[in-house]
Amino acid sequence: MCRINSLIEEIESNKKIIIDKSKVLQNDEIEKVNSIINMSIKHLTFSRIPKLEGFNFKNINGSLIYFNNLCDHSIYVGSYIPTSSSKCYYDDNESSKYELWLLWNNEFCVTKIISLKNNDFKREVIDYGKCAFVSQNWKFIWDLDNLVYLLEGNLAQNLTNIQNRLVNS
């Protein structure tokens, strides 16, 4: 009996260590991504979220007009398709697709793609804030490396556009 109690205590102790280390690693990753965003935000090229037709969330700070203006200045930075093991954003339709957008105020919003007839679709905002850092079982649901990669691509395209204007002027 003592041996079993000892093993259980060691398992519980190791689980706590894993959780503590996971928190530290997640915080480091969040800091890194926020640093990259803060460093590059004034050099990114923003555009409107296409086919955005609705807002279905509660935590809006300010007016809907202000939030709609934020959505006019956004960058697509990731997608998420729910699985049976990861259901942070989920409805009854498992084929739903969710997208992450960086807004010009350094916040994020999540859109849900809603299929319509004739292969058409619309987007609806379902979350706003620091939603890029949502995690489940100590793993981010959004691919933060891909987020950084897409921001880097946006900066590279912006540089190319500026260099082309220099050449053509």
Side-chain angles (χ1 to χ4, degrees):
M1 190 69 151
C2 287
R3 176 74 176 141
I4 289 176
N5 283 336
S6 174
L7 289 171
I8 290 172
E9 286 177 17
E10 191 171 342
I11 288 170
E12 292 299 321
S13 174
N14 286 335
K15 281 183 179 180
K16 185 180 178 328
I17 291 170
I18 290 170
I19 289 171
D20 291 344
K21 286 185 178 186
S22 295
K23 286 180 185 178
V24 168
L25 290 173
Q26 277 191 331
N27 288 337
D28 288 349
E29 187 70 15
I30 290 169
E31 251 182 64
K32 179 185 109 180
V33 170
N34 280 330
S35 176
I36 290 167
I37 290 169
N38 289 333
M39 185 173 40
S40 60
I41 195 81
K42 68 181 180 180
H43 302 288
L44 294 168
T45 302
F46 294 92
S47 61
R48 175 154 181 67
I49 298 175
K51 297 190 177 195
L52 182 61
E53 297 185 16
F55 304 95
N56 187 12
F57 65 102
K58 294 182 175 124
N59 62 341
I60 192 166
N61 295 331
S63 72
L64 197 55
I65 293 171
Y66 171 75
F67 186 76
N68 194 42
N69 186 36
L70 287 176
C71 293
D72 284 343
H73 302 87
S74 62
I75 299 170
Y76 168 80
V77 290
S79 64
Y80 165 77
I81 299 172
T83 64
S84 59
S85 63
S86 176
K87 297 181 179 180
C88 287
Y89 298 104
Y90 185 74
D91 60 17
D92 291 333
N93 181 0
E94 283 196 37
S95 66
S96 294
K97 182 177 177 185
Y98 300 87
E99 298 172 322
L100 183 67
W101 299 81
L102 172 64
L103 304 176
W104 68 328
N105 65 345
N106 290 11
E107 296 283 354
F108 295 88
C109 76
V110 175
T111 60
K112 177 182 175 184
I113 294 184
I114 300 169
S115 296
L116 303 173
K117 295 177 184 176
N118 303 327
N119 292 329
D120 200 13
F121 67 93
K122 68 178 184 175
R123 288 182 173 90
E124 178 179 79
V125 175
I126 62 163
D127 200 0
Y128 170 71
K130 298 294 180 195
C131 36
F133 308 117
V134 171
S135 65
Q136 193 171 47
N137 299 325
W138 302 108
K139 184 177 180 196
F140 292 112
I141 66 165
W142 302 99
D143 183 347
L144 297 184
D145 289 334
N146 190 54
L147 183 154
V148 170
Y149 174 78
L150 291 170
L151 291 178
E152 184 181 323
N154 184 292
L155 290 169
Q157 183 61 50
N158 191 16
L159 175 61
T160 300
N161 292 344
I162 290 170
Q163 289 172 333
N164 286 342
R165 279 188 283 176
L166 282 172
V167 169
N168 294 328
S169 61

